[in-house]
Amino acid sequence: MLKIEGLSGGYDNKLIIKNVSFFVAKGEMLGILGPNGSGKSTLLKVISGILNMESGNVLIEGKPLKSYSSKDLAKKMAVLPQLHSHAFSHTVRDTIALGRYPHQSGLFSSWSIEDEAAVVEAMKLTAIERYESQMLDLLSGGEQQRVFVAQALAQQAPILLLDEPTNHLDIAHQKQLLDTIKTQAIEKGITIVSVFHDINLASLYCDRLLLMDQGEIKVIGAPHEVVTKDQIETVYEARISTNPHPERPKPQITILSDVNEKNNDKLITTENFQVTGELVVFQAETQLKTWSSAVTNAGSGWYRTFVNRRVDANYACDNVHEEMLEFLVNRGFSEADTVGMMTAVNTTDAVIKEYKTPFGNVVIMVTAGVGNAVDVSRTHEVEMLPAIGTINTWIIVNGELSDEAFIQSVITATEAKTKALAFEQVKDPRTGTIATGTSTDSILVAATQRGVHIPYAGPITEIGKKIGLGVYECTVEAIQIYKKAKGWD
Amino acid sequence: MSKAMIGYILSIAALIVAIWLGVSVGSVKVPISTLWDTGADAIATNIVWKIRMPRVVLAGLVGASLAIAGAAFQGLLKNPLADPYTLGVSSGASVGAVATLFFGISMPFLGIYTLPVFSMIGALVTMLLVISFAKLVDRAMKMETIILTGIIFSSFLGSVISLMIALTGEELRQIISWLLGSVSMRGWSFVQMALPFVVIGTLLLWLNRRELNAMLFGEERAKHLGVNVKKRKMMILIGGSMLTGTAVAVSGTIGFVGLVVPHMTRLLFGSDNRHVLPLSFINGAALLIICDLVSRTIISPTELPIGVITSFVGAPVFAYIFFRQRKKGGN
């Protein structure tokens, strides 16, 4: 559809685009990325014929750009430039109707049925019918941008070039505009080339991305091939991290700040814990990076307060999450800051210990109720109603854990817990075999993300050793307390 | 009925009223019927056909030319303050005209058209220089940049004219009054001199009415929409310069008509150039006929130069548009 061959060009005597080649297939959406001054807008201007090319070729449907007359080119390629202010005001309809210019000819260039249909459809697609007779300059920036999108769509060209179409728009308008354009690509097979400032939007909407660096192509490919930590950091000269989009297989980036915020150097100790008859509460001065399988604020996030709440053994509720939130809020905990778990054992029986490591302490908390202990290898044999059993394990680290270390911490802790159950000969009452855990165990791993960087947390790492030992010791002790309380011994 | 339709009806009505007043009012009151009444008084017929009618027609042509040229320049430059006068194009045309008289230039193949043709060339050259210079100063060609450039060129060209007048002594003194702008005592020959250029120039601009609409969004945008900007721009510049040059050649420098009329037209009937151009043409004619009427009757028997009246009205309007645009934050 659109083929660029060895294109070089720029302003007067300054070459900005150097030897750029790529191909865009029909119905494809290509995003052009690059830092300020990397030449992405210039590239678009050379492709659209606004700036002259020094060398190379732009082929539209196999024919060179120069071979098209102004009107014929406009029939093939519509362009949406960046928003500008205007000295005179047109009505919305008149503005969109200008998109039909290339389709009209003759001295009086009468308005045809197709012209009218194209304008009406463009207004519908961009949801601006109700502004039809309003003056353009009375609309907000977002609405104006939609009018220009409509103008470009009314042109009914198979190729659409866009220059930062979402500039100055709020997120609702960004989404709406890109949804509209992407739908055109999917449904009508329109070929789209768009310059983006926002890497995340580009990654989310485009089929392929082109990363520009100083007028040249650094890389072109699928979003996951282009939006990588190394490439983005090199080209943009900014620290970032990548993470997956929650719904689509598209990478997203997060900017990493280099500003030193007021540091809290206080270490986490057992002093941070408070135990009442109802709750085990951990409170830190600043948020910790947390991974957990808790009831509220599970998953990963940054939280300051961890609550282990005692509930009756017969606790039953249709909406545990809601009930727990309500409980926490009633007790004065912040919804946004608190990770909440439940246990059926006495909170005063919680075992909380601190383990010294060369880089900072690891604090471990375990509450163990082994009434519903299960042997995970045999659970498939018996049917079981979910019941609150619950060994809750918290591991709080003074250090900076990598993502891998968080996951390895969970593995290490789970292995240590299973070992503790074996040592205590806790059995699955249904099968009579040694239990590996209970039916609803929960875990929380949190780290201050300050101090020493800890890349791994397997069993033979310094931290892994302490987690293994600590979780084992605490779980054994907690089980012994539980047994004593139940009078099992 | 559309806004534009109302615009045409009102504007044509205004023009008819203006012609009627222009023909009948004056030191001697003459009924309009003299125009078609074959049995009318011979003196009245003479006044109407030999003095008033050519004057009204010429004022109409000059007003129409300046107004439509102004509308086109404003659209082309996206600048509501642009008009032949503020851009310095009128001064350029004056230099062309004065130089023709000063050097006694006469091109046999041009005949009576020598003066307007040189005036047009002066206008076109000035226009191109103003645009090039403004672009050099500021690529975005902001409103103020263009107008300042126009003032610079106006001042410079004004001094060139003064110099030529000073050098010629007595016989060109009459030029001074001509420079202030007047349509008095011109007769049909001037109408004949102006008419073909007014027709061609107007046609050139009218052919670009839709292109001008596209150019309101910038030359780049117009290009994206399929406008052959280079060609269209040249057509508009030539058309506008032709009209300005002609107007100046027959009536001297009459300021602000090209500013006030398109502005009022847009304000009342919208800024679609498909209508702004023809409506400005009609209203420009009406306005200048009325201004001429005022100039010759207000302190009668003395006649004021018509440029005095148009500037009296135009300068405040200029200030108002400038104020509005700055408030709006437009460029």
Side-chain angles (χ1 to χ4, degrees), chain B residues 74-112:
Chain B
Q74 285 152 28
L76 186 70
L77 300 170
K78 293 180 293 166
N79 186 337
L81 294 183
D83 103 314
Y85 187 67
T86 57
L87 287 173
V89 181
S90 292
S91 302
S94 299
V95 170
V98 174
T100 311
L101 301 175
F102 180 71
F103 295 111
I105 300 169
S106 138
M107 298 280 171
F109 58 95
L110 287 174
I112 60 158

Side-chain angles (χ1 to χ4, degrees), chain A residues 461-472:
Chain A
T461 59
E462 281 307 314
I463 182 148
K465 287 172 188 170
K466 296 298 175 187
I467 291 174
L469 172 69
V471 171
Y472 176 74

Side-chain angles (χ1 to χ4, degrees), chain B residues 224-239:
Chain B
H224 293 146
L225 289 168
V227 176
N228 188 339
V229 172
K230 240 183 210 160
K231 183 177 128 193
R232 297 298 184 160
K233 205 165 132 183
M234 213 55 221
M235 281 173 83
I236 294 162
L237 288 177
I238 290 173

Side-chain angles (χ1 to χ4, degrees), chain A residues 247-260:
Chain A
E247 287 187 344
R248 302 286 166 96
K250 305 284 188 115
Q252 301 282 287
I253 65 147
T254 309
I255 297 170
L256 303 177
S257 168
D258 289 325
V259 178
N260 285 322

Side-chain angles (χ1 to χ4, degrees), chain B residues 174-190:
Chain B
Q174 47 153 343
I175 290 179
I176 297 171
S177 76
W178 170 77
L179 278 175
L180 282 169
S182 167
V183 285
S184 72
M185 305 314 284
R186 297 293 204 263
W188 287 111
S189 65
F190 276 74

Side-chain angles (χ1 to χ4, degrees), chain B residues 161-234:
Chain B
I161 295 167
S162 301
L163 185 68
M164 283 194 279
I165 293 168
L167 288 176
T168 51
E170 276 310 305
E171 72 256 46
L172 278 187
R173 291 287 150 118
Q174 47 153 343
I175 290 179
I176 297 171
S177 76
W178 170 77
L179 278 175
L180 282 169
S182 167
V183 285
S184 72
M185 305 314 284
R186 297 293 204 263
W188 287 111
S189 65
F190 276 74
V191 172
Q192 195 198 343
M193 186 156 88
L195 196 61
F197 300 113
V198 173
V199 171
I200 298 168
T202 302
L203 203 63
L204 273 174
L205 297 185
W206 183 76
L207 281 174
N208 287 292
R209 62 207 181 283
R210 290 185 320 119
E211 287 74 7
L212 276 167
N213 274 344
M215 283 189 222
L216 285 186
F217 294 100
E219 284 181 23
E220 263 184 37
R221 189 81 201 107
K223 214 168 168 182
H224 293 146
L225 289 168
V227 176
N228 188 339
V229 172
K230 240 183 210 160
K231 183 177 128 193
R232 297 298 184 160
K233 205 165 132 183
M234 213 55 221

Side-chain angles (χ1 to χ4, degrees), chain A residues 371-383:
Chain A
N372 283 308
V374 294
D375 175 355
V376 71
S377 66
R378 305 284 294 271
T379 48
H380 66 281
E381 293 172 11
V382 281
E383 203 148 309

Side-chain angles (χ1 to χ4, degrees), chain A residues 11-12 45 48-50 70-71 74 77-81 84-90 94-95 98-102 104-109 135-137 148 151-152 155, chain B residues 74-75 78-81 139 206-207 209-214 216-229 232 266 270-274 325 328-331:
Chain A
Y11 294 93
D12 302 332
K45 282 185 180 169
S48 62
I50 294 295
S70 301
K71 274 193 179 180
M77 191 157 75
V79 185
L80 181 69
H84 292 295
S85 59
H86 313 287
F88 299 102
S89 196
H90 271 310
D94 286 347
T95 306
L98 273 175
R100 298 305 295 168
Y101 176 83
Q104 295 176 299
S105 55
L107 200 56
F108 290 90
S109 33
M135 297 315 270
L136 189 60
D137 58 348
F148 288 109
Q151 189 186 53
Q155 222 168 310
Chain B
Q74 285 152 28
K78 293 180 293 166
N79 186 337
L81 294 183
R139 224 193 162 84
W206 183 76
L207 281 174
R209 62 207 181 283
R210 290 185 320 119
E211 287 74 7
L212 276 167
N213 274 344
L216 285 186
F217 294 100
E219 284 181 23
E220 263 184 37
R221 189 81 201 107
K223 214 168 168 182
H224 293 146
L225 289 168
V227 176
N228 188 339
V229 172
R232 297 298 184 160
R266 276 194 208 95
S271 51
D272 184 342
N273 278 311
R274 284 175 301 179
Q325 288 294 325
K328 209 171 85 177
N331 63 2

